[in-house]
Amino acid sequence: MSQKQLKEAFISNLNGTSLLEISAGLSLPPLCLLCRGLLLILHYLHHGKPVSSRKYSLLLDFLVLVSPLLFSCTVLSSIIFFIPVILAAFCAGIFSKIYSRREREARAPFEQIVKEFQKARLDPECIPAITVFRVYVNVLTSISILAVDFPQYPRRYAKAETYGTGVMDLGVGAFIFGNALVCPEVRQESHRTQPRFSSLARQVSSVWPLLFLGVGRLLSVKSIEYHEHTSEYGVHWNFFFTLALVRLAASLLLAILPKQKAWLMALALAGFYQLLLSTTSLKTFILHGSDGRGSRLGFLDANREGLLSLFGYLAVYLASVQVGLWLLQRPSSVRGWLGALGGLALAVLLLSVVLQLCQACTEPVSRRLANLPFCLWVLAHCLLLLGFFVLADLALVFAKLLVRGSSVPCCWKVRQAPDSREKHGGEARRDRPSQLCLISAINKNQLLFFLLANVMTGAVNILIDTIHSKAAFTLCILHLYMFFNCLIMYILHARNIVLKFW
């Protein structure tokens, strides 16, 4: 077999992993975020000022926010269930140190601190959990698209061939979910006087970079004969095209129909598509081609997975728009977001139960088909991850109330802390100069980050025999790859450069 055929075989015919293992893995990013925040608060407690060195700030962010994820999906994947426990214990140790060494004047009974926390008002201008969710989906995707070509990345984490739940299968759906949370239809909810089709016009003008990147990827992959998994999207299709068309189709539907009923559109679309898969020959066509032997004749046959999975991804997008609208309506207070956590937990539980029933009555989860179980699985686990991030943010708010004046980038700012003395309230309300933060840096240039990761992945695969790499070499390459990508984003952010002109 040629090197191209070996690499294609290396990522083919896989069956995914268990839902429990994926859920355990989803707890890692929020724990990393919590750990980073507590370390910054502890530093402020000791030194009376935030980390001022850009070099140390980048190093801390990379080592705490990114590096643990690289280890957990490679050499430490066999103990994935223990890693969250270890991180949680470490966070508990840092919090205990903060609580015992907080400022003398802030000492108060624990019950009083809890009451103050519940009454605290938060910055209503943003929801940090959404930003962090989108950034971490990008980071995890960037790690996986290169790590999957190394033997240290478990095959069960890679995309499943037909049925199954791989970590990378969830990443595809999470990208759709994250895009929908910040789509124009959600962001313009407060501007009700805008024309009904303004969102559609904006989407038409904003998706051309995705189409351009899709064409660029297609031409580059074919010209250098780069290895590809044809049954993933088809011969000519790729995920950039899927993102572009889903956004356009969703904007058209939401311009015609009331967006407050987006969940009904999602349910109807996913249900109808699943009915077609179960009662017609559509499933056979997607899995085996028009001749039943995997033919790729004609554009539709050649790209049947990418084209027909659009129905499932569109359903996920519409349901995610509903989630975004619901989050915007949450009160900007700790008490309100504690209630929102309960709503997210209930939604995850309900979706998980319906998912099990649906798999029992129809078929297992299939990213290749983007069937109803796939849509339910993506929504359940994305809401779970989002809920974890909200919980981590609230924990950091509590820790910041213990150490007056401390700040954590990409975390809620406390606008009002009742039962505090005036000078403390002033410190809570006063805006400090924004700290450089890796999360903010990636968020400013997310498309560039993803594009750069794709280009670097291709370069590494061309230059290195990834399949036969040793563990130490693999970890070195992955760390260099992610650090270089993060460094570029960090430099652009430090110079306030946003490479977006559409």
Side-chain angles (χ1 to χ4, degrees):
M1 296 176 69
S2 66
Q3 188 74 2
K4 178 176 182 290
Q5 291 172 324
L6 281 174
K7 290 191 174 184
E8 288 176 351
F10 193 57
I11 57 175
S12 301
N13 302 312
L14 305 173
N15 300 312
T17 185
S18 67
L19 298 182
L20 183 60
E21 184 171 15
I22 293 176
S23 299
L26 290 180
S27 67
L28 296 181
L31 284 170
C32 290
L33 183 74
L34 178 61
C35 181
R36 191 278 302 253
L38 292 174
L39 286 172
L40 290 175
I41 294 173
L42 184 62
H43 178 276
Y44 184 89
L45 184 61
H46 281 290
H47 301 279
K49 61 179 181 179
V51 178
S52 56
S53 170
R54 292 181 176 182
K55 176 175 62 177
Y56 291 132
S57 178
L58 172 61
L59 190 60
L60 173 66
D61 280 0
F62 184 81
L63 290 178
V64 180
L65 298 178
V66 179
S67 191
L69 304 180
L70 286 168
F71 281 100
S72 65
C73 70
T74 52
V75 295
L76 298 183
S77 58
S78 59
I79 58 168
I80 189 66
F81 290 102
F82 296 99
I83 299 177
V85 178
I86 296 170
L87 282 175
F90 186 65
C91 290
I94 303 173
F95 181 82
S96 177
K97 196 171 186 64
I98 291 172
Y99 186 78
S100 62
R101 299 192 61 175
R102 68 192 190 278
E103 294 174 333
R104 183 177 301 277
E105 61 182 325
R107 292 189 183 277
F110 185 76
E111 294 78 6
Q112 180 181 337
I113 297 173
V114 171
K115 289 180 180 179
E116 181 180 340
F117 167 68
Q118 291 177 338
K119 295 178 181 178
R121 298 200 61 80
L122 306 173
D123 185 357
E125 296 177 3
C126 68
I127 303 174
I130 293 179
T131 298
V132 177
F133 176 94
R134 285 166 44 79
V135 167
Y136 256 115
V137 167
N138 220 327
V139 168
L140 290 168
T141 302
S142 299
I143 292 173
S144 295
I145 59 176
L146 178 58
V148 70
D149 294 315
F150 290 90
Q152 288 74 27
Y153 189 86
R155 296 301 90 193
R156 66 185 184 277
Y157 288 2
K159 291 179 180 177
E161 184 68 28
T162 301
Y163 294 105
T165 51
V167 173
M168 294 184 72
D169 293 314
L170 179 61
V172 175
F175 244 106
I176 298 289
F177 183 91
N179 277 358
L181 291 180
V182 296
C183 70
E185 290 80 10
V186 173
R187 294 198 307 268
Q188 292 176 3
E189 175 63 16
S190 58
H191 306 289
R192 298 177 184 274
T193 58
Q194 293 196 359
R196 193 173 181 81
F197 286 88
S198 61
S199 295
L200 179 59
R202 287 187 61 186
Q203 289 286 34
V204 170
S205 64
S206 67
V207 299
W208 72 262
L210 294 174
L211 296 173
F212 178 78
L213 291 174
V215 173
R217 176 179 171 80
L218 171 64
L219 295 177
S220 60
V221 166
K222 299 301 181 184
S223 62
I224 65 175
E225 296 187 350
Y226 189 77
H227 67 277
E228 54 183 331
H229 194 187
T230 304
S231 64
E232 187 177 346
Y233 295 107
V235 177
H236 312 102
W237 204 260
N238 58 58
F239 191 54
F240 289 113
F241 293 140
T242 295
L243 280 177
L245 291 190
V246 164
R247 286 174 60 176
L248 284 176
S251 293
L252 179 60
L253 286 174
L254 294 171
I256 298 172
L257 302 171
K259 57 187 174 184
Q260 293 295 345
K261 302 296 183 182
W263 69 276
L264 284 176
M265 289 185 269
L267 182 60
L269 184 62
F272 179 70
Y273 178 55
Q274 182 61 51
L275 183 64
L276 291 178
L277 290 174
S278 301
T279 59
T280 68
S281 59
L282 183 61
K283 184 197 304 184
T284 302
F285 171 69
I286 296 175
L287 298 181
H288 305 293
S290 57
D291 64 353
R293 296 193 298 272
S295 64
R296 296 285 176 180
L297 304 174
F299 182 78
L300 176 59
D301 199 6
N303 303 285
R304 55 185 184 270
E305 293 92 348
L307 290 169
L308 292 171
S309 64
L310 288 172
F311 293 102
Y313 289 126
L314 180 56
V316 171
Y317 190 98
L318 291 171
S320 306
V321 167
Q322 190 74 65
V323 174
L325 293 172
W326 180 77
L327 290 174
L328 277 185
Q329 298 169 2
R330 297 307 94 201
S332 56
S333 65
V334 167
R335 195 183 299 275
W337 279 100
L338 288 173
L341 269 179
L344 288 172
L346 183 61
V348 170
L349 179 61
L350 180 61
L351 287 168
S352 299
V353 171
V354 176
L355 170 61
Q356 296 302 323
L357 292 174
C358 191
Q359 288 193 105
C361 297
T362 56
E363 59 186 347
V365 172
S366 173
R367 172 205 43 82
R368 188 175 176 184
L369 298 172
N371 56 6
L372 178 59
F374 173 78
C375 298
L376 294 170
W377 171 57
V378 166
L379 290 171
H381 278 70
C382 285
L383 289 175
L384 178 65
L385 180 57
L386 189 63
F388 282 158
F389 281 129
V390 171
L391 184 60
D393 277 337
L394 291 175
L396 289 175
V397 168
F398 185 86
K400 287 196 296 181
L401 289 176
L402 295 176
V403 183
R404 302 294 178 178
S406 61
S407 62
V408 178
C410 292
C411 174
W412 266 308
K413 295 181 179 67
V414 180
R415 289 302 188 191
Q416 179 184 350
D419 303 327
S420 298
R421 287 194 280 181
E422 182 59 33
K423 65 175 184 177
H424 285 163
E427 289 174 359
R429 288 191 294 269
R430 190 189 309 129
D431 289 332
R432 294 181 170 272
S434 59
Q435 298 170 240
L436 283 179
C437 167
L438 184 57
I439 293 174
S440 297
I442 297 174
N443 183 53
K444 286 287 184 66
N445 287 288
Q446 287 207 46
L447 186 57
L448 177 64
F449 182 84
F450 185 57
L451 176 61
L452 186 58
N454 276 268
V455 172
M456 292 172 64
T457 296
V460 170
N461 272 279
I462 291 172
L463 298 173
I464 295 174
D465 179 13
T466 57
I467 297 179
H468 301 101
S469 297
K470 301 297 183 182
F473 181 73
T474 297
L475 288 174
C476 182
I477 291 296
L478 289 176
H479 275 84
L480 286 173
Y481 153 78
M482 285 302 298
F483 184 78
F484 181 71
N485 204 346
C486 291
L487 177 62
I488 292 177
M489 299 303 110
Y490 200 79
I491 292 173
L492 292 175
H493 182 48
R495 298 183 178 182
N496 199 29
I497 298 175
V498 180
L499 297 180
K500 183 175 181 179
F501 48 85
W502 55 89

